[in-house]
Amino acid sequence: AAASDVYKRQVWKEPVLSLLDAISLLAFDIKVIRVECALGADSPVNNYIMRLAVYPFFALILLFFVLLLRTGGYPIDKDRILNSQGLIVLIAYISLALSAVLPLQCVPNPNGTSSMASNPGVVCWESDLHAKLASLSILGILMYPVTMLSLVIYITVRQPALVASGQGLMLA
């Protein structure tokens, strides 16, 4: 990633660099935010936790603004709130799924070990640091791809009954 940053900065100038940094947020690349400056340390575990927390943070911000509009007199019901969150999940699903499995993506080293592709300083399957990251990855997989896919399957299976009941696709 560092080599690509050097190349990117040699090829592109402002304002394109700022645009590329903003776009990398869509891939939940928290290195763009430089959160390690605020935390005082560059910890792979903290960085990964922050990466997993980006979606819930933005979902809460969206919910806050939707509820703010609702209190301002706009007719926003529960279904519209769920639809707005569903749209964000739809847009971010692939990035969330890829972020969840990052610690499990290892590349071989010349010395016979393997390192994380996203953080070559972390040796895979042999260090306590990678064990923590792999555990968080399992949690991330359960939080994002598994939960979201389960919800889509549930709604798809329930759709005929919801439509037949006369309430349409309203879930609540």
Side-chain angles (χ1 to χ4, degrees), residues 7 38 44 70-71 73 83 107 133 153 155:
Y7 176 75
R70 187 176 180 178
T71 58
N83 283 340
V107 294
L133 289 168
I153 291 170
I155 292 170

Side-chain angles (χ1 to χ4, degrees), residues 75-91:
I76 298 175
D77 57 2
K78 192 186 311 182
D79 287 324
R80 289 186 185 195
I81 294 171
L82 286 173
N83 283 340
S84 66
Q85 292 294 339
L87 178 63
I88 299 300
V89 167
L90 177 68
I91 292 169

Side-chain angles (χ1 to χ4, degrees), residues 1-170:
S4 66
D5 280 345
V6 170
Y7 176 75
K8 180 172 74 172
R9 301 214 177 269
Q10 288 174 348
V11 172
W12 299 105
K13 304 292 181 220
E14 288 297 334
V16 175
L17 279 174
S18 297
L19 180 64
L20 290 173
D21 284 344
I23 290 172
S24 66
L25 277 177
L26 294 175
F28 299 100
D29 185 6
I30 56 126
K31 291 177 185 172
V32 174
I33 303 171
R34 292 173 179 73
V35 74
E36 60 271 3
C37 294
L39 295 176
D42 186 16
S43 164
V45 173
N46 289 345
N47 289 343
Y48 187 67
I49 289 171
M50 294 294 287
R51 177 176 231 142
L52 290 178
V54 168
Y55 168 72
F57 177 74
F58 282 117
L60 287 174
I61 289 174
L62 176 65
L63 181 62
F64 172 76
F65 281 112
V66 168
L67 292 176
L68 190 64
L69 287 172
R70 187 176 180 178
T71 58
Y74 289 92
I76 298 175
D77 57 2
K78 192 186 311 182
D79 287 324
R80 289 186 185 195
I81 294 171
L82 286 173
N83 283 340
S84 66
Q85 292 294 339
L87 178 63
I88 299 300
V89 167
L90 177 68
I91 292 169
Y93 180 79
I94 292 175
S95 294
L96 289 168
L98 290 175
S99 289
V101 298
L102 276 178
L104 304 178
Q105 296 174 343
C106 299
V107 294
N109 291 324
N111 66 359
T113 63
S114 59
S115 297
M116 280 180 45
S118 61
N119 192 343
V122 178
V123 178
C124 291
W125 314 116
E126 296 177 12
S127 65
D128 290 337
L129 181 60
H130 187 258
K132 291 176 189 174
L133 289 168
S135 300
L136 287 170
S137 178
I138 300 300
L139 179 66
I141 291 168
L142 292 173
M143 278 174 39
Y144 295 126
V146 171
T147 300
M148 292 173 190
L149 191 58
S150 299
L151 185 59
V152 167
I153 291 170
Y154 171 76
I155 292 170
T156 302
V157 168
R158 295 256 312 136
Q159 190 264 351
L162 290 170
V163 171
S165 72
Q167 70 177 22
L169 290 178
M170 291 188 275

